[in-house]
Amino acid sequence: MTARIPIAGAVRTDGDDRLPPPRFAYDAHTWREIAHLLVNLPVALLGFTYVVSVLFVSGLLTVTVIGFPLLAGALLGARQLGKLERARARTLLGVRVDEPSPLPLAKGGGLLQRLWLALKDPVGWRTLLYDFIRLPWGILTFCIVLTGLFVLWPVLPFVVRGLANVDRVLVRGLLSPSDELERRIAELESDRGVVVDTAAADLRRIERDLHDGAQARLVNLAMGLGLAKEKLMEDPDSAAAMVEEAHGEVKLALQELRDLARGIHPAVLTDRGLDAALSAVASRCTVPVKVTADLESRPAAAIEGIAYFTVSELLQNISKHSGARSASVDVWRTENRLLIQVRDDGRGGARLDGGSGMRGLAERLGAVDGLFVVDSPVGGPTVVTAELPWRDRAETDRKG
């Protein structure tokens, strides 16, 4: 009987001892890291020369009118160098770094505003710092890797991995955009679009209401008065009836204009504040509504208007869809936030994605850095919480 002697590193398969398949000691990933570290030196020389040249020349010329524009151009050029470095790190090191948002120079206003926007660009300044400190590091990595290819062959992959990790840290630390800043920029760009769309929708609504309501009644009124004028001498009784009918049309037109003005900005909100305005809109709701407003002072007019229309829209939804027997509106201030909570004991099931009304309210509040939360399980009750930033009316009046 022949005994089997296990071999170190062997893999047992179906009772047979087989050696592992041969592989290269240096895989493709290691070779890419070696290539990156060797290329560090020429790239670092290029970046260091660029930084020293532009800073020296623009620094000398700051006493003239071309110094600051030259520095702004240098920062824009540094952005392009950073883009190339991110591409090199992505290809050779596998580092995925998001590209920073482009500078909105086309929307920066005048020449001085665009110049100042470029001069305070944090991405450009961080790229200049990155290129400035890379020269000694590029010399060090080039020398270590080039020497290691001849005398440190067995341990070179470990050395290369450590050096490449330092490069990864530098790229992520200096060439990546600020996550919070980029997130905020994206939110502001989205909010600006929401504000523009909301304003356009409001203008279309006002135009439609004027065209279909008061304007149509005024046209009928003009026609009726014209016919009454023609019949005044021939048939005074018919003319008097027409004038009476025209008088009714005038009253209806005035009422529609008042309703339209109240929809734009109610007079009670301007004159008496949020408490009285919410009580007025609650009185028109088909469900009994209890309004509680605990505000020692009035917020800014814009915040007050958004709060009013938010509650108005929510009470309309309660009247139309909730099937509730009672509802409540609570408004209070907590530090620098205005909070609104609308409750009803209806059937529930309200969702932000259930229709354009709730979603529109959430977008409108989000455009002013507010929050909108709906808690509406099936069967009820429904609790909608809205939060708005607080700005004092007196402060905004002084700025205005």
Side-chain angles (χ1 to χ4, degrees):
M1 182 175 182
T2 303
R4 292 182 180 270
I5 301 174
I7 302 174
V11 179
R12 182 181 294 276
T13 306
D14 298 332
D16 294 332
D17 294 326
R18 295 187 301 178
L19 294 174
R23 65 180 182 86
F24 292 106
Y26 287 57
D27 57 12
H29 187 64
T30 302
W31 281 113
R32 285 196 296 268
E33 290 178 338
I34 291 174
H36 178 85
L37 295 171
L38 289 176
V39 175
N40 269 351
L41 180 58
V43 172
L45 281 172
L46 175 63
F48 185 82
T49 303
Y50 178 82
V51 173
V52 172
S53 300
V54 297
L55 290 182
F56 179 75
V57 174
S58 59
L60 289 178
L61 295 177
T62 51
V63 296
T64 67
V65 295
I66 64 173
F68 288 108
L70 181 61
L71 180 58
L75 290 169
L76 295 177
R79 273 182 164 255
Q80 301 305 314
L81 292 178
K83 184 177 182 179
L84 294 176
E85 279 294 274
R86 284 187 291 271
R88 185 167 73 99
R90 185 166 51 249
T91 302
L92 299 177
L93 298 181
V95 178
R96 303 293 175 181
V97 176
D98 293 334
E99 294 292 330
S101 299
L103 287 176
L105 296 178
K107 303 176 183 180
L111 179 60
L112 292 179
Q113 290 180 338
R114 291 196 295 268
L115 178 63
W116 175 243
L117 191 64
L119 287 175
K120 67 177 184 178
D121 176 27
V123 175
W125 284 110
R126 288 202 307 268
T127 306
L128 288 181
L129 176 61
Y130 175 86
D131 289 329
F132 183 77
I133 66 176
R134 290 285 293 178
L135 181 59
W137 176 249
I139 295 173
L140 178 64
T141 56
F142 180 84
C143 294
I144 291 176
V145 174
L146 187 62
T147 305
L149 287 174
F150 297 98
V151 299
L152 298 175
W153 186 264
V155 297
L156 184 59
F158 303 100
V159 176
V160 166
R161 181 59 51 84
L163 297 175
N165 284 339
V166 175
D167 263 351
R168 291 184 176 94
V169 171
L170 289 174
V171 170
R172 289 193 179 101
L174 293 177
L175 296 184
S176 61
S178 171
D179 294 337
E180 181 64 23
L181 179 61
E182 291 296 311
R183 182 190 65 80
R184 188 59 181 157
I185 290 174
E187 287 182 356
L188 290 175
E189 289 178 348
S190 175
D191 292 346
R192 181 179 61 187
V194 171
V195 171
V196 172
D197 293 341
T198 302
D202 289 341
L203 287 175
R204 289 194 299 270
R205 176 182 59 82
I206 293 171
E207 180 183 8
R208 183 180 63 251
D209 291 344
L210 283 173
H211 182 271
D212 298 340
Q215 180 179 347
R217 291 194 180 278
L218 291 175
V219 170
N220 291 334
L221 172 63
M223 294 175 61
L225 289 176
L227 292 175
K229 180 180 179 181
E230 292 179 357
K231 291 182 175 291
L232 184 61
M233 300 302 295
E234 300 176 359
D235 191 355
D237 294 336
S238 298
M242 290 181 180
V243 171
E244 182 67 24
E245 183 179 353
H247 184 254
E249 289 289 328
V250 169
K251 291 182 178 180
L252 291 175
L254 288 175
Q255 181 61 41
E256 289 183 355
L257 288 174
R258 280 194 294 267
D259 292 339
L260 181 60
R262 186 185 300 116
I264 298 173
H265 196 83
V268 65
L269 180 62
T270 303
D271 298 337
R272 300 175 55 191
L274 199 55
D275 189 359
L278 293 182
S279 298
V281 74
S283 65
R284 297 194 295 270
C285 184
T286 59
V287 176
V289 181
K290 179 182 178 182
V291 177
T292 304
D294 184 12
L295 299 175
E296 296 180 357
S297 59
R298 295 180 62 177
I303 299 300
E304 198 174 58
I306 294 175
Y308 171 83
F309 287 111
T310 299
V311 174
S312 178
E313 182 73 20
L314 290 175
L315 292 182
Q316 287 183 22
N317 289 341
I318 291 174
S319 297
K320 295 177 181 178
H321 309 299
S322 70
R325 295 185 299 273
S326 64
S328 64
V329 177
D330 295 287
V331 183
W332 71 99
R333 177 185 178 182
T334 300
E335 294 181 353
N336 61 342
R337 308 293 285 183
L338 175 66
L339 284 91
I340 304 166
Q341 197 166 76
V342 180
R343 300 170 178 263
D344 70 77
D345 58 359
R347 64 177 64 94
R351 305 190 314 275
L352 285 177
D353 57 353
S356 60
M358 288 287 192
R359 187 170 60 251
L361 287 176
E363 291 176 351
R364 180 171 293 192
L365 266 69
V368 293
D369 201 20
L371 295 175
F372 189 81
V373 180
V374 178
D375 181 14
S376 181
V378 177
T382 297
V383 180
V384 179
T385 304
E387 183 178 328
L388 289 164
W390 179 276
R391 293 199 300 272
D392 288 323
R393 176 178 292 263
E395 180 181 350
T396 56
D397 290 343
R398 286 195 301 270
K399 290 181 180 179

